[in-house]
Amino acid sequence: MDLGLQGRKAIVVGGARGIGYAVAEVLAREGADVALSARGEDSVKDAVASLSRYGTKIVGKPVNVKKAEDYKTWLEWAIRELDGVDVLIPLSSAGGGIGSEKYWHNAFETDVMGPVRAVDTVIPVMTEQKRGSIVLVATTSALEAMGGPQAYNAMKASLITYGKQLALAHGKDGIRVNVVSPGPVEFEGGNWDMIKGTMEKFYQSQLRQQPIGRLGRPEEVARAIVFLASEAASWCSGSHLVVDGAFTNRTHF
Ligand SMILES: NC(=O)c1ccc[n+]([C@@H]2O[C@H](COP(=O)([O-])OP(=O)(O)OC[C@H]3O[C@@H](n4cnc5c(N)ncnc54)[C@H](OP(=O)(O)O)[C@@H]3O)[C@@H](O)[C@H]2O)c1
């Protein structure tokens, strides 16, 4: 299947590790130019160097999405470097945390305003060219009780509503918007790797609940995200795709 991504221009916010890096890699492999970011200067540099082997234009610069002005400057820089933007995948996340108001502020600024600020910047460009695709990344922790009453789950849930509203508002502009909710995904240096090392019992209990007998891998989620972002998904908009190896214990009518 041709995904129609050859020569397309994609912004991946939070693309230096894990699912975001895997998304950037699938995009590059499919022939797209990619601009990526994260806060870590070295991780951005390494990701750009590694992805350049696919032969498309790969650019990156560190930015903190919580700093609104810097982030807007970064987004405008990325659009200039790519000479446009066809695909936006903003997936920076502050992760979980419980017991302090600071986690709410952090999750709001990173997990909600990260995507919102990027959407606000790219929508006028996509509207002008009458073409664009956005994929927001939520989590199965927004869909079922998981990890206690924490900001991460609630803030991610808001993206599912936001994504649908965007799809309704901008379909007429040629812009599709979809949401992907991954189940637990494990990779070296990621949250589940950390949980495995620090909360072994919790990790094992989650592992036992996985119908496929293991956690997900970044590329397994990335392929679903990139499909929805691509021309091959031209009739998919306003959808919410759960990618979790059947982990969530409910029927998705
Ligand atoms: N892994 C899972 O099990 C899982 C499950 C469901 C949903 N998800 C979602 O999938 C997405 C990717 O998760 P992941 O686990 O693969 O990666 P992750 O460890 O959550 O890292 C996300 C990326 O965002 C960057 N980032 C974090 N805060 C940032 C900020 N303030 N400004 C700019 N960049 C920032 C990180 O780099 P720096 O730290 O260098 O900034 C990193 O590149 C997230 O939205 C996450 O919530 C993950």
Side-chain angles (χ1 to χ4, degrees):
M1 177 167 57
D2 180 7
L3 295 183
L5 284 165
Q6 197 74 38
R8 291 295 157 97
K9 300 140 199 301
I11 293 179
V12 185
V13 182
R17 68 165 180 260
I19 297 168
Y21 177 81
V23 164
E25 184 166 35
V26 178
L27 285 164
R29 213 187 282 140
E30 291 296 323
D33 296 336
V34 179
L36 63 87
S37 71
R39 288 163 305 178
E41 193 159 358
D42 288 348
S43 62
V44 170
K45 211 189 278 174
D46 290 351
V48 169
S50 167
L51 295 174
S52 296
R53 69 186 183 276
Y54 295 107
T56 65
K57 181 168 185 176
I58 310 289
V59 295
K61 240 179 16 175
V63 76
N64 186 341
V65 304
K66 289 158 67 179
K67 297 184 176 169
E69 281 310 309
D70 292 357
Y71 187 30
K72 190 166 172 45
T73 302
W74 184 91
L75 288 159
E76 288 166 352
W77 168 82
I79 293 167
R80 266 197 318 277
E81 284 289 314
L82 296 174
D83 195 21
V85 56
D86 302 300
V87 169
L88 169 69
I89 304 168
L91 36 58
S92 56
S93 175
I98 203 161
S100 161
E101 211 176 274
K102 78 173 183 212
Y103 294 116
W104 287 90
H105 293 292
N106 213 5
F108 175 69
E109 280 294 322
T110 311
D111 292 69
V112 179
M113 293 314 293
V116 169
R117 288 172 180 143
V119 165
D120 287 349
T121 306
V122 305
I123 287 272
V125 181
M126 291 178 170
T127 301
E128 174 85 24
Q129 68 198 17
K130 281 262 164 231
R131 183 182 72 209
S133 172
I134 298 169
V135 182
L136 304 179
V137 179
T139 169
T140 53
S141 301
L143 314 178
E144 289 189 343
M146 164 78 142
Q150 53 180 317
Y152 174 75
N153 307 13
M155 294 293 164
K156 284 293 199 181
S158 73
L159 294 182
I160 301 168
T161 308
Y162 177 52
K164 177 66 184 186
Q165 300 286 6
L166 284 172
L168 287 168
H170 295 290
K172 64 178 186 324
D173 304 319
I175 301 169
R176 295 180 300 103
V177 184
N178 293 286
V179 182
V180 168
S181 281
V185 170
E186 192 173 4
F187 58 91
E188 203 182 326
N191 286 328
W192 283 98
D193 194 32
M194 185 268 290
I195 290 168
K196 192 185 195 171
T198 56
M199 294 184 264
E200 172 70 14
K201 269 193 182 153
F202 177 65
Y203 175 85
Q204 290 302 336
S205 76
Q206 293 303 304
L207 191 57
R208 278 193 298 276
Q209 291 175 51
Q210 300 295 324
I212 292 181
R214 62 171 174 81
L215 273 55
R217 302 181 184 114
E219 59 275 16
E220 292 175 310
V221 176
R223 286 194 293 265
I225 292 173
V226 174
F227 167 71
L228 284 174
S230 78
E231 284 298 311
S234 52
W235 190 237
C236 296
S237 192
S239 67
H240 171 220
L241 179 64
V242 177
V243 183
D244 70 344
F247 169 58
T248 39
N249 192 21
R250 62 180 190 151
T251 306
H252 298 274
F253 283 108

